[in-house]
Amino acid sequence: QAQLVESGGGLVQPGESLILSCSGSKFFLDYFTIAWFRQAPGKLREGVSCITYRTYATNYADSVKGRFTISRDNAKNKVFLQMNRLSPEDTAIYYCAALGGQEPDICPLADGRYHWWGQGTQVTVSS
């Protein structure tokens, strides 16, 4: 069964860094725009960042600009989210999602646009 698989979550202290990975299992990411979303307890799911598949154009939520960096390695069938200067407000389950079809000029951070989703990985930032 084709699926997206997230990894790299964990427990870190404020100010530390994590790298999340999104891999395709029987799911080739080459022609998909990929996004990272997160959902904290009691809150709505929030778009964090996304990257297109050909031009590698990126988009970020204001809350993570300057701290998070999204990248992809199509040869390895992976998309990464480098998260620096983490704070307790970043605590959430992080999901990767894929959007097929024509590559957008600016990838959207609206979850309704994405058709395929991973199971998520927990990120906890606490001292």
Side-chain angles (χ1 to χ4, degrees):
Q1 180 178 355
Q3 57 182 345
L4 298 172
V5 180
E6 302 93 339
S7 62
L11 171 63
V12 296
Q13 295 189 345
E16 294 186 338
S17 299
L18 273 178
I19 302 176
L20 303 183
S21 295
C22 174
S23 302
S25 175
K26 299 182 180 179
F27 193 118
F28 298 102
L29 304 184
D30 306 44
Y31 298 103
F32 290 88
T33 291
I34 302 296
W36 286 96
F37 291 84
R38 66 186 181 185
Q39 188 164 21
K43 294 188 176 182
L44 296 175
R45 188 161 54 191
E46 172 191 22
V48 174
S49 184
C50 56
I51 185 167
T52 61
Y53 60 84
R54 185 172 58 85
T55 64
Y56 290 20
T58 59
N59 191 13
Y60 295 92
D62 288 343
S63 58
V64 306
K65 279 181 182 176
R67 299 189 300 123
F68 290 11
T69 303
I70 191 169
S71 62
R72 67 189 299 159
D73 186 336
N74 284 347
K76 294 183 178 179
N77 207 31
K78 290 181 183 289
V79 173
F80 305 98
L81 185 67
Q82 171 75 50
M83 305 188 295
N84 297 329
R85 304 199 311 274
L86 285 162
S87 72
E89 289 70 33
D90 296 314
T91 295
I93 300 175
Y94 283 71
Y95 302 90
C96 67
L99 166 64
Q102 185 175 353
E103 180 184 59
D105 291 334
I106 300 175
C107 51
L109 292 177
D111 58 3
R113 296 287 305 277
Y114 290 82
H115 310 123
W116 295 274
W117 292 81
Q119 295 298 308
T121 185
Q122 176 70 49
V123 172
T124 303
V125 185
S126 175
S127 55

